[in-house]
């Protein structure tokens, strides 16, 4: 058996016909930018995130850039965030001219360690940019309290967390601005790039809408240097079909996650993801990430271990799983602060020890709503085989 890490085409049997119909409707309308589909998606997305306004844009990266620009964050400013994220989180901060300041992560949930935020604040700090990584919601009450007492803005990176919530409220509804991505592998994925911001602030929504269209509040009248960052009408049509199914798909992901948790909990060498089902909070399970804590599986592997033995245990484990037909992805092998592109920030190896350690141990197991129970069992059996005593 071959198990893919994700399968985007698995949704075709459920929604293929509806999507085709929606796409043809847009195509025949001749309205490819803006129009009804974009407007109705924005309305529905604001409703789904329990916010007053949602403005769509071209990507999650753009959503972050637009959010920071609308908050007037730029040259000379610092933004506190996590180095354990997709590169775009920090890239957006740098693109507006500000400096990302990384705090280490919590070793249990892999999210920004909230106890380290206040120590990282300087007179130049303008905002906190928390990342709900893998779909695990952060404690937004704590973050908002820290932001308030230090007069900081909060931009939530919800790229992997559409549908996740903290104490009964969706992520993206707590901070000044929430940023979402509709990249195909996210929980709410388009057939291409897409993104959106959410906010309860009318002025911020208005500014972001203008910035996304060349800083142009009226046609050919430009008040700002902006961007060309719109959600295509065709992508909006697809997202409208998918949004109404998002919660159902998350439930399916959650069932898979619970199955993995139950079945793998007896293996001491595997650290399972933390679960925050307490406090009426919910994970979106965009990824199911485990940590390989030791090399006790080595005696059971069949691959020629000589040439890979020097590798990290995790890489060897991944190679062996791949050989057995279970395909996985590493989110993320290198923390952002150690990426060559950020040499200039002068973070040394060892400066964020938990982040660095976790990056060397994590591996994401296959998870997507259509992953059948027989496939889940296959993944579980192969892992159990590798760790059998
Ligand atoms: C995907 C992602 C982004 C960027 O979104 P794009 O739509 O790919 O630009 C930003 N932050 C995180 C955490 C992501 O996973």
């Amino acid at each position: 058996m071959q198990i893919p890490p994700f399968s985007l085409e698995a949704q075709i049997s459920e929604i293929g016909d509806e999507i085709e119909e929606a796409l043809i409707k847009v195509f025949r309308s001749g309205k490819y930018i803006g129009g009804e589909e974009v407007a109705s998606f924005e309305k529905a997305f604001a409703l789904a995130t329990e916010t007053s306004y949602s403005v769509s844009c071209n990507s999650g990266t753009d959503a972050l850039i637009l959010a920071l620009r609308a908050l007037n964050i730029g040259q000379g400013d610092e933004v506190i965030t996590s180095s354990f994220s997709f590169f775009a989180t920090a890239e957006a901060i740098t693109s507006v001219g500000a400096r990302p300041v990384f705090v280490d992560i919590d070793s249990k949930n892999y999210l920004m360690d909230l106890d380290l935020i206040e120590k990282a604040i300087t007179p130049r700090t303008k905002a906190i940019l928390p990342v709900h990584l893998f779909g695990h919601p952060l404690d937004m009450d704590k973050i908002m309290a820290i932001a308030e007492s230090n007069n900081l803005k909060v931009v939530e990176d919800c790229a992997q967390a559409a549908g996740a919530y903290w104490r009964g409220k969706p992520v993206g509804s707590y901070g000044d601005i929430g940023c979402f991505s509709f990249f195909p592998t996210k929980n709410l994925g388009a057939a291409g790039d897409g993104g959106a911001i959410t906010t309860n602030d009318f002025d911020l929504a208005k500014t972001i809408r203008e910035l996304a269209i060349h800083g142009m509040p009226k046609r050919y009248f430009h008040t700002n240097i902006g961007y060309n960052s719109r959600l295509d009408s065709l992508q909006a049509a697809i997202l409208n079909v998918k949004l109404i199914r998002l919660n159902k798909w998350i439930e399916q992901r959650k069932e898979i996650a619970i199955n993995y948790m139950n079945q793998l909990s007896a293996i001491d060498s595997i650290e399972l993801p933390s679960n925050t089902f307490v406090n009426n909070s919910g994970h979106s399970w965009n990824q199911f990430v485990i940590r390989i804590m030791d090399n006790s599986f080595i005696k059971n592997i069949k691959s020629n271990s000589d040439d890979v033995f020097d590798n990290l245990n995790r890489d060897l484990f991944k190679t062996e799983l791949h050989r057995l037909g279970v395909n996985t992805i590493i989110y993320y092998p290198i923390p952002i602060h150690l990426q060559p592109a950020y040499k200039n920030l002068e973070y040394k190896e060892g400066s964020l020890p938990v982040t660095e350690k976790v990056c060397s141990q994590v591996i994401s197991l296959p998870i997507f709503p259509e992953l059948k129970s027989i496939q889940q069992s296959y993944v579980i059996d192969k892992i159990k085989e590798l760790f059998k005593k």
Side-chain angles (χ1 to χ4, degrees), residues 168-185:
K169 260 180 47 150
V171 300
S173 68
Y174 283 91
D176 295 273
I177 305 175
C179 299
F180 291 84
S181 164
F182 308 127
F183 186 79
T185 57

Side-chain angles (χ1 to χ4, degrees), residues 59-61 64 85-86 88-89 131 157 159-160 181 183 186 194 332:
S59 69
T61 307
L64 290 165
S85 183
F86 178 54
T89 304
V131 184
D157 184 337
Q160 302 180 8
S181 164
F183 186 79
K186 314 289 177 169
Y332 296 92

Side-chain angles (χ1 to χ4, degrees), residues 77-94:
D77 297 335
E78 292 176 357
V79 178
I80 296 173
T81 191
S82 172
S83 175
F84 189 42
S85 183
F86 178 54
F87 189 70
T89 304
E91 194 179 29
I93 296 168
T94 311

